Amino acid sequence: MPSPEIPGTRAKPRRFVPRFHWELIACGVGGHELVGMEAEHIRPQDRVFAFEREGVRWVRCLRCDSWVPLEPPRRPTCDHPPDRDEIALPLRGKALRDKIVLRLIAINRAVHFLVLGLVGAAILVFAANRGDLRAGFYKVIADLNGSVSHQQQSGHGLLHEIDHLFSLQSSTLHLVGAVVLVYAVVELVEAVGLWLMKRWAEYLTFLVTTSLLPIEVYELTQRLSVLKVVTIVINVAVCVYLLFAKRLFGLRGGAAADEAERERDAGWPALERAAPSPR
């Protein structure tokens, strides 16, 4: 008598290069999505996610399709697993990939919001107390090295930049601080919208990010640094992902094609296509 079929052991890979599975990342972090572990009986209609064979109950993860062998429960809490309309299916395929990537971008934008918010608030505080700060700052520097006048006249160095900052008008400082705070609020709106996977947030993030790329490239040509290179690489990657993977502006079929691809990987039909044979 041939050995019983074990789910996941007979299928041969279709290609040599393995496929990247976002489902494995989600299950590795949050655990499998299993249904039917505590049920006393497994019905024939439950075979898509659970069945028993030779005293072993095989339960399928509804996210990553892994089959987990378990012993039947000694103290079952229900007669049978819930019906399909009672089960909330987890995200799979493209929908899960989009959720992970968009939330990573949202975290990046939330960090931008915190940094820009602190910078904008610092500029406004500086503008309101510039006179007191100027006198105290130069007194401390003069006591430390006595080279304030030399660096001011040379036109270089940190002291020259700070002296130029003190020479700006209060209205200019208030304007700069307000612009920075407005940009921080925009970053916050992007973060919230991307976290909730809103289509309008994808467009907003793409437009804002691409509008700042020329400035970042110019800054990179003026003074090269690792931080600037990393920043521009991340922003370019975000723009490319949103434009091509999310099909913005009607690219590659637009929102309709994006939704169709998501539907292909979601719902019970997708699970049934990969279900084991009913032997």
Side-chain angles (χ1 to χ4, degrees), residues 174-210:
H174 283 100
L175 178 60
V176 173
V179 170
V180 173
L181 289 178
V182 169
Y183 183 47
V185 173
V186 173
E187 294 287 274
L188 178 61
V189 173
E190 292 179 31
V192 174
L194 292 174
W195 188 270
L196 299 177
M197 301 179 65
K198 299 298 183 181
R199 186 75 172 176
W200 58 263
E202 299 170 4
Y203 279 99
L204 177 62
T205 303
F206 178 83
L207 294 175
V208 173
T209 305
T210 52

Side-chain angles (χ1 to χ4, degrees), residues 106-211:
I107 293 174
N108 175 265
R109 293 308 188 255
V111 173
H112 288 182
F113 162 72
L114 293 176
V115 174
L116 292 173
L118 292 176
V119 171
I123 293 175
L124 295 181
V125 171
F126 173 80
N129 303 275
R130 183 174 53 173
D132 298 335
L133 293 174
R134 180 188 181 97
F137 173 79
Y138 282 117
K139 183 178 184 302
V140 171
I141 296 300
D143 292 341
L144 288 177
N145 53 28
S147 60
V148 175
S149 59
H150 170 71
Q151 291 199 26
Q152 286 176 319
Q153 295 175 0
S154 64
H156 299 286
L158 178 62
L159 292 181
H160 171 74
E161 298 296 334
I162 295 177
D163 182 67
H164 175 68
L165 186 63
F166 278 120
S167 65
L168 294 177
Q169 297 181 358
S170 297
S171 58
T172 303
L173 291 174
H174 283 100
L175 178 60
V176 173
V179 170
V180 173
L181 289 178
V182 169
Y183 183 47
V185 173
V186 173
E187 294 287 274
L188 178 61
V189 173
E190 292 179 31
V192 174
L194 292 174
W195 188 270
L196 299 177
M197 301 179 65
K198 299 298 183 181
R199 186 75 172 176
W200 58 263
E202 299 170 4
Y203 279 99
L204 177 62
T205 303
F206 178 83
L207 294 175
V208 173
T209 305
T210 52
S211 66

Side-chain angles (χ1 to χ4, degrees), residues 21 31 42 68 70 144 160 169 179 181 206 209 221 228 231 246 266-267:
H21 292 276
I42 299 296
V68 181
L70 302 171
L144 288 177
H160 171 74
Q169 297 181 358
V179 170
L181 289 178
F206 178 83
T209 305
T221 58
K228 292 180 180 179
T231 300
K246 298 299 297 176

Side-chain angles (χ1 to χ4, degrees), residues 55-68:
V56 178
R57 176 170 296 183
W58 292 88
V59 184
R60 178 189 187 182
C61 175
L62 299 179
R63 182 188 293 116
C64 71
D65 290 334
S66 297
W67 287 89
V68 181

